[in-house]
Every structure is written in structure tokens, then in C-alpha cells.
Amino acid sequence: MIIVTGGTGRLGAQIVDRLLDRVPAERVGVSVRDPGRAGDLAARGVRVRHGDFTDPRSLGEAFEGATQVLIVSTNRTGEAATAQHIAAIDAARDAGAGRILYTSHQGAAADSVFAPMLDHAATESYLSRTRTPFTALRNGFYADTVRLLIGRALETGELVAPADGPVSWTAHADLAEAAAIVLADEGRFDGPTPPLTAPNALDLDAIAGVLTELTGHPIRRVVADDAEWAATLTGRGVPADRASMLIDMFRAARRGEFATTGHALEDVLRRPATPIRSILEEAADPSMIRM
Ligand SMILES: NC(=O)c1ccc[n+]([C@@H]2O[C@H](COP(=O)([O-])OP(=O)(O)OC[C@H]3O[C@@H](n4cnc5c(N)ncnc54)[C@H](OP(=O)(O)O)[C@@H]3O)[C@@H](O)[C@H]2O)c1
């Protein structure tokens, strides 16, 4: 039985969906915090069990009979994240899973300036010390994040953000499909995968260029001072620690931490990755897109 955690999250739900295209529902289980939110999966024949990374006993039941467990990384950061991942890895090992998969990141590194990358590196390190075979899916940076970074650029004509660097923006849907393919083709990758990213990396200057093309209106990239930009965010009610983490994301991008590209994702998918242009097209108000 293949168990996927986070089956009610954005990535996890899409992974299960794509997995059901490949594997009979009776071989698929989800471990979710709230089974009440997974009624649609239960109706499709998927085994739905309660599993919370902060409650190891629940994981024992949720992972029962697992041949593979895919751990979708938690949306916490820091020690809480690593502790949750370790609990899930231990539970998957104790359940007798033959392989543990984990949604890592292309930028996973112990010397990153962006906190989530340290968590991914620590989890990968723990996985490599666990005797169970593992696959760390080194996912590209979620393209959805660009929507947040664009801010009000479409209305104002100015994309205002701190100095950045190229990022290989990658669609959730592509990453979910790749994870499902790797689960269905057990053992295809062992250890950390090559970066599963779009084949090109764009900085915000280039994103502004794409937006200009899409809308037919000039969108100018304006570089903001880190501290001033963070102050604007906190002024709008964004918690200070979140604003500071976003600044760290820009710092990491400036260091080229998310610039890696490659063809591994497209090789797995056997089709081109979703271009950032399509994602921006969806993000923008249709009336602003030039046809
Ligand atoms: N590659 C990237 O650029 C990138 C960017 C941002 C985040 N990420 C990572 O990718 C993960 C998945 O992304 P997403 O878009 O699917 O985010 P999401 O919708 O917020 O999903 C996070 C999942 O983690 C689950 N979770 C949180 N705490 C848990 C716990 N204590 N026990 C068990 N499960 C727990 C959530 O469960 P519920 O469904 O019950 O809420 C949810 O399903 C994120 O959590 C984060 O680690 C990657």
C-alpha cells in the first residue's frame, strides 16, 4: 500500500489524484490530520486514516501496511518542522515501509540563508542515516509564489520587490504528477533526486517582461530596499517573522540558491514543464491579458 501524507494539502491532494491515474485505489492510503476533509478520497476507495506528525501513535495506524510512504513536508519551519519530519520518518520505518519518499527542495542546503532549506537539509540528512531506502524529491520553487511577489504590479505598472536572483519557478501540478510517477515506478530514484525544476530560471526583471507581454502594458521592475519593503509588509499586517523570512528568500535568490535548472522533471513527465507564462496568465485578471 502506498501512503501519502498531507492528502488534504495543495500538493498532497494533487499527488493522490495523479497516483489514482496509475495505481488502483485499494493500494492507496492517505494520512491526514482531519479525515473529515478527505471524504472525496474515501468515496473513491482510498484508505483515509488520521495521522498527525505531532502524534506518533496516530502515524503508526495511518502507515499500517505501507510498502512506501510519501511524506509531504510540513508547513512549519525550524525545529518544529524537523521534529515532525523525523517523527514521520521513524513511523514509516517502524511500519516496515520499503521506501520513504520526502518532498524536499531544489535549494536544500545546510548553509542556506533561507530557513526552510535548512529544514529540508536536516531531514535529508536524517533520511540518509535511516536504513530504509529513501527518495528525496528535490522540488523546484513553487511558481505560485510569483503571484505573491507580483503584488499590485498589474494595477500600478510597477513590480516592487527587493533585489532578487533567478529562480526556476515550477508548477504544483508538474511536481505532483512527477511524485505520482516516481511512486508508481518504485526505486526510480534513490537518495536525493536531481533538481525537479522547470528548465529555465527567471528573475523578477524577466517576470516583469513576461507580464508586459501578456498585458500589453509596461510593467516596470522597481528594486526596493530590503528593510523598507519588510516595513511595508508589516505595516499591512504581515507578521514580522514572516516578513523577515521573505527577505531571507530574496537574499538566498541573490546568492543563486534557487537558480539550478535541469531536465529531470521533464524527463519524468515525458512532456515540457508548465511554462511560467501560463501560470502568470492564470494569475492575472483575464481582462488585463492581451489576446
Ligand atoms: N517547493 C517550494 O517552493 C515550496 C514552497 C512552500 C512550501 N513548500 C513545502 O511543500 C509543502 C507542501 O506544499 P503545499 O502547497 O501542499 O502546502 P499546504 O497546502 O500548506 O500543505 C501542507 C501540508 O502539511 C500538512 N501538515 C501540516 N502540519 C502537519 C502535521 N502536524 N502532521 C501532518 N501533516 C501536517 C498539512 O495538513 P492539513 O491538510 O491537515 O492542513 C498540509 O496537508 C509545504 O508544507 C512546505 O513544506 C515547498
Side-chain angles (χ1 to χ4, degrees), residues 49-134:
R49 289 204 179 161
H50 166 72
D52 189 320
F53 298 154
T54 62
D55 174 8
R57 209 169 42 179
S58 72
L59 297 176
E61 285 168 26
F63 295 174
E64 188 188 352
T67 49
Q68 298 185 83
V69 175
L70 169 61
I71 301 167
V72 171
S73 49
T74 179
N75 44 18
R76 302 289 303 275
T77 46
E79 276 175 30
T82 317
Q84 289 190 13
H85 296 154
I86 287 174
I89 292 165
D90 287 349
R93 179 203 57 209
D94 294 347
R99 179 168 296 275
I100 303 172
L101 296 93
Y102 168 73
T103 58
S104 186
H105 199 284
Q106 68 177 111
D111 61 351
S112 173
V113 294
F114 185 43
M117 300 305 110
L118 309 180
D119 304 337
H120 288 303
T123 304
E124 283 194 1
S125 164
Y126 190 78
L127 275 168
S128 67
R129 284 179 274 122
T130 305
R131 286 169 186 264
T132 306
F134 77 97

Side-chain angles (χ1 to χ4, degrees), residues 6 8-11 33 52-53 73-75 105 140-142 172:
T8 45
R10 287 187 313 147
L11 184 69
R33 287 193 293 183
D52 189 320
F53 298 154
S73 49
T74 179
N75 44 18
H105 199 284
F141 214 114
Y142 289 164
H172 263 75

